């Protein structure tokens, strides 16, 4: 029996561009009809962050075991900490026909591109580099060293736009969310994705 798989949606972009804010806004509205994949990380929880909601917080040893066991779709070492996407959750949810949304940094997105080329890749771009810097500083959650490292990473990350299917400028969070939802809707209408269903229908397999 034909069963449609969900779409793997990957939102990535430079550090400080507002991926987290956009993701939270997306998932705060009832129209958003996809599942957020909660990442694993070895970073310490920030104030207010909850284990199993914001991240699954892991020790370095636990994380390295997950890597060894092949239980991550992708992972990256980002500014001294591991971050990774749980493979089983993603596969099970896609198999159930639900779209899965990843909000990850660019090294990880590149790995997903290799492993799941039919995923939908959206690059969130900053309006400008100085804006990016002031957002990182304004957030006030990081030391100067970390901010400098993140800005250096962001310059390199901007050059990686060419790996993506769509670019959404994050000039206003709500506008960016509207664009992302529109992109996902359009992706569901893509002939390549839809034709399998029609073929199954014609074969009486639906
Ligand atoms: P933060 O420490 O600010 O929560 O996240 C730092 C960076 O890690 C952000 O760019 C965020 O998108 C990224 N990130 C979060 N989860 C994952 C993940 O599972 N894999 C990868 N590769 N990056 C992630």
């Amino acid at each position: 029996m034909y069963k449609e798989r969900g779409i793997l949606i990957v939102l990535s972009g430079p550090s400080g561009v507002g991926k987290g804010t956009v993701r939270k806004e997306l998932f705060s509205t009832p129209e958003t009809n996809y599942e957020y994949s909660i990442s694993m990380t070895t970073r310490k929880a920030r104030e207010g962050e909850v284990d199993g909601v914001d991240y699954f917080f892991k020790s370095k040893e636990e994380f390295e075991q997950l890597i060894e066991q092949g239980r991550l779709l992708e992972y990256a070492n980002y500014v001294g900490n591991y971050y990774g996407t749980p493979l089983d959750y993603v596969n099970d949810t896609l198999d159930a026909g639900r779209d899965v949304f990843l909000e990850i940094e660019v090294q990880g997105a590149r790995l997903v591109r290799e492993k799941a080329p039919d995923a939908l890749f959206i690059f969130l771009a900053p309006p400008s580099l100085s804006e990016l810097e002031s957002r990182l500083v304004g957030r006030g959650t990081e030391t100067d060293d970390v901010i400098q490292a993140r800005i250096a990473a962001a310059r390199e990350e901007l050059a990686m736009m060419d790996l993506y299917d769509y670019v959404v400028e994050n000039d206003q969070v709500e506008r960016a969310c509207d664009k992302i939802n529109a992109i996902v809707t359009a992706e569901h209408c893509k002939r390549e994705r839809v034709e399998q269903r029609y073929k199954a229908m014609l074969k009486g397999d639906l």
Side-chain angles (χ1 to χ4, degrees), residues 3-7 91-99 188:
K3 178 113 176 50
E4 197 160 322
R5 255 190 136 225
I7 297 175
N91 277 337
D92 293 350
T93 312
L94 292 175
D95 286 346
R98 306 275 306 153
D99 296 344
H188 273 281

Side-chain angles (χ1 to χ4, degrees), residues 8-74:
L8 181 58
I9 305 156
V10 181
L11 181 72
S12 191
S15 174
V17 74
K19 297 190 290 295
T21 310
V22 167
R23 183 251 303 167
K24 282 186 190 130
E25 177 66 22
L26 275 172
F27 284 92
S28 71
T29 57
E31 300 88 67
T32 297
N33 200 19
Y34 26 88
E35 308 294 329
Y36 175 56
S37 167
I38 300 165
S39 296
M40 317 261 185
T41 186
T42 58
R43 159 164 92 53
K44 295 271 167 294
R46 294 190 188 122
E47 208 173 302
E49 284 184 334
V50 177
D51 189 33
V53 176
D54 299 284
Y55 281 103
F56 295 106
F57 295 100
K58 301 282 173 199
S59 68
K60 191 163 174 271
E61 293 69 34
E62 285 170 327
F63 199 101
E64 286 174 348
Q65 202 170 3
L66 292 168
I67 298 172
E68 243 167 66
Q69 293 169 343
R71 289 174 58 197
L72 300 174
L73 168 65
E74 60 73 36

Side-chain angles (χ1 to χ4, degrees), residues 9-199:
I9 305 156
V10 181
L11 181 72
S12 191
S15 174
V17 74
K19 297 190 290 295
T21 310
V22 167
R23 183 251 303 167
K24 282 186 190 130
E25 177 66 22
L26 275 172
F27 284 92
S28 71
T29 57
E31 300 88 67
T32 297
N33 200 19
Y34 26 88
E35 308 294 329
Y36 175 56
S37 167
I38 300 165
S39 296
M40 317 261 185
T41 186
T42 58
R43 159 164 92 53
K44 295 271 167 294
R46 294 190 188 122
E47 208 173 302
E49 284 184 334
V50 177
D51 189 33
V53 176
D54 299 284
Y55 281 103
F56 295 106
F57 295 100
K58 301 282 173 199
S59 68
K60 191 163 174 271
E61 293 69 34
E62 285 170 327
F63 199 101
E64 286 174 348
Q65 202 170 3
L66 292 168
I67 298 172
E68 243 167 66
Q69 293 169 343
R71 289 174 58 197
L72 300 174
L73 168 65
E74 60 73 36
Y75 70 93
N77 196 315
Y78 180 79
V79 199
N81 285 302
Y82 283 127
Y83 295 82
T85 303
L87 180 63
D88 285 350
Y89 173 79
V90 170
N91 277 337
D92 293 350
T93 312
L94 292 175
D95 286 346
R98 306 275 306 153
D99 296 344
V100 176
F101 185 93
L102 308 184
E103 180 241 302
I104 61 177
E105 53 69 65
V106 289
Q107 306 166 55
R110 176 189 290 224
L111 290 172
V112 179
R113 178 113 235 179
E114 285 165 18
K115 286 195 184 169
D118 62 341
L120 170 61
F121 292 87
I122 304 173
F123 188 88
L124 195 66
S128 72
L129 216 69
S130 57
E131 175 125 349
L132 178 69
E133 187 163 2
S134 63
R135 281 193 210 179
L136 278 169
V137 174
R139 195 157 70 179
T141 50
E142 255 69 58
T143 62
D144 275 359
D145 281 0
V146 172
I147 290 171
Q148 287 314 317
R150 286 187 175 218
I151 290 167
R155 284 182 177 272
E156 284 175 26
E157 287 164 355
L158 264 183
M160 295 173 81
M161 199 185 267
D162 55 346
L163 290 175
Y164 294 77
D165 302 309
Y166 293 90
V167 176
V168 170
E169 196 178 296
N170 189 19
D171 49 356
Q172 271 180 32
V173 175
E174 268 144 50
R175 197 163 22 202
C177 291
D178 287 348
K179 287 179 184 169
I180 291 167
N181 282 323
I183 290 166
V184 174
T185 303
E187 192 69 16
H188 273 281
C189 302
K190 257 219 174 129
R191 197 244 318 135
E192 295 88 325
R193 297 200 188 266
V194 175
E195 72 184 353
Q196 294 302 326
R197 183 171 4 119
Y198 281 89
K199 280 183 182 159

